[in-house]
Amino acid sequence: MSAATPPTPSRRERPARKPVERRAFLRASLIGSVSAGLGGFALGALGFLWPRQGDGLFGEVILGNARDLAERIVGERRPVLVPEAALSIISWDPSDGIAAGAYGGQHAVVTDSVGLMCLDTGACPHLGCAVPWCQTSQWFECPCHGSRYNKYGEWTGGPAPRGLDRYVSFIDGEGNLVVDLGSPVTGPARTANALEQAREGPSCVDA
Ligand code: FES
């Protein structure tokens, strides 16, 4: 008489899992959310504290022939970036009464219908990240937390408290655009979009 062979299991037995205790689960969730919050804060603080390009320039700075700059901006449909001063030059239309009322006194006027404005794109008003231009949307879009600004630096979305800050600028006697880095102008309030401009294509940054 042969000994009975134990039945072969059809699949591997897994060791029984211990149920996750509610308290341990809550503790892990709390640690995860605090870590994520601190990580976001640290990133923002780094962006704010990191030395910006342009921190070495002061006072009035000549940026080039105003008419040439305006022609280039309009022709290429993009701002002229001035990395040394951490700013972007955009064009606007002073013949538009609303625009003239909102921006006319502080920004350069080249002709009756062409003005120039120097936006501080080196420091997002949210936590200080640089804000690059997005050619497809024709907006400025912040890669850090997704704030967006139209091509005039007016706030269109995201956590930033206002539009992009800017600097006083003017045309000198030789036709040059001059920016006064000693005269910053606080960006327009979220609700004060004088030059409303809709997005013109896909965004470069996920919201
Ligand atoms: S730094 Fe936060 S949205 Fe720009």
Side-chain angles (χ1 to χ4, degrees), residues 76-120:
E76 296 180 7
R77 298 182 68 243
R78 63 169 70 239
V80 169
L81 177 65
V82 185
E84 302 83 358
L87 61 81
S88 298
I89 308 169
I90 58 112
S91 66
W92 61 289
D93 181 0
S95 70
D96 177 326
I98 296 175
Y103 301 117
Q106 295 169 314
H107 303 287
V109 174
V110 186
T111 68
D112 288 348
S113 59
V114 179
L116 293 172
M117 205 184 294
C118 297
L119 302 180
D120 180 359

Side-chain angles (χ1 to χ4, degrees), residues 44 124-131 142-149 158-160:
C124 178
H126 180 222
L127 288 174
C129 292
V131 188
C142 183
C144 288
H145 313 100
S147 286
R148 297 155 196 269
Y149 311 88

Side-chain angles (χ1 to χ4, degrees), residues 162-203:
R162 60 177 184 275
L164 291 171
D165 296 335
R166 44 213 70 206
Y167 297 99
V168 167
S169 60
F170 58 92
I171 310 294
D172 72 8
E174 289 164 7
N176 293 312
L177 173 66
V178 180
V179 63
D180 184 355
L181 297 175
S183 299
V185 179
T186 302
R190 283 185 172 195
T191 51
N193 290 3
L195 300 174
E196 291 180 9
Q197 171 231 357
R199 189 172 60 197
E200 297 180 20
S203 287

Side-chain angles (χ1 to χ4, degrees), residues 132-154:
W133 172 250
C134 176
Q135 184 67 13
T136 47
S137 67
Q138 292 280 300
W139 279 4
F140 293 94
E141 299 181 1
C142 183
C144 288
H145 313 100
S147 286
R148 297 155 196 269
Y149 311 88
N150 68 18
K151 66 180 175 185
Y152 307 107
E154 297 169 338

